[in-house]
Amino acid sequence: MKALAKFSYVAVVLSLISCKIAPQEIQYGTDMCHSCQMTIVEQTHASQIVTKKGRAYKYDAIECMLQDLDKRDVSSIALFLVTDYTKPTTLINAKEATFLVSEEIKSPMGANLSAFSNREAIKVAGQQFNWNEINDYIQ
């Protein structure tokens, strides 16, 4: 009976750990984009969503994530994350980011879309958007 209790305790702990709502590390050069199936290589344009159940979906470009949202129940998503262009591999809250569409910064899927945590860090010409505006723009 004690063995069954221990097994149950371990099973509960493992299930709680596996459902943790947190970003997963992106393995550049290995992980595949959930939307276009290309290998995630560029450390300046990757993005990720994490569902309320803790499942992470990784994308090679912000535009891939935004287009994939059309196929999902957005209310089931806990985290919307984009890479800060000025800090490669650093994921930031997409809802607080400033988005830039600029011919001077090429993104993997051709939308020339980048994200910045700080609007003052944008040093090139282009159109700037907030989260709601970029969702409308990419649709």
Side-chain angles (χ1 to χ4, degrees):
M1 191 64 149
K2 287 184 180 182
L4 180 60
K6 285 182 182 179
F7 176 77
S8 297
Y9 176 76
V10 170
V12 169
V13 169
L14 288 175
S15 68
L16 290 174
I17 290 171
S18 65
C19 294
K20 183 178 174 186
I21 299 173
Q24 284 185 359
E25 182 178 348
I26 296 174
Q27 302 296 318
Y28 295 94
T30 303
D31 284 343
M32 305 291 284
C33 175
H34 184 75
S35 179
C36 72
Q37 305 304 311
M38 292 180 64
T39 303
I40 303 172
V41 177
E42 289 195 32
Q43 299 180 348
T44 54
H45 289 91
S47 58
Q48 185 175 145
I49 58 173
V50 181
T51 68
K52 291 178 179 175
K53 291 183 177 181
R55 181 156 185 200
Y57 296 89
K58 303 171 187 175
Y59 304 92
D60 68 333
I62 299 165
E63 54 265 38
C64 281
M65 177 183 77
L66 294 173
Q67 292 168 350
D68 193 47
L69 293 179
D70 286 345
K71 304 169 197 159
R72 298 184 172 280
D73 174 9
V74 176
S75 68
S76 70
I77 300 171
L79 301 173
F80 298 88
L81 303 160
V82 292
T83 299
D84 182 350
Y85 183 78
T86 62
K87 299 175 186 165
T89 73
T90 301
L91 293 171
I92 59 175
N93 182 345
K95 292 183 176 181
E96 297 174 357
T98 298
F99 296 90
L100 176 72
V101 175
S102 173
E103 293 289 325
E104 297 183 43
I105 301 175
K106 303 294 183 197
S107 61
M109 297 309 291
N112 300 327
L113 174 59
S114 304
F116 296 81
S117 62
N118 182 348
R119 182 181 298 256
E120 288 73 35
I122 299 173
K123 304 296 183 197
V124 297
Q127 289 181 271
Q128 294 184 24
F129 302 89
N130 66 27
W131 172 249
N132 291 329
E133 294 166 338
I134 199 64
N135 273 283
D136 292 340
Y137 180 81
I138 291 295
Q139 302 310 315

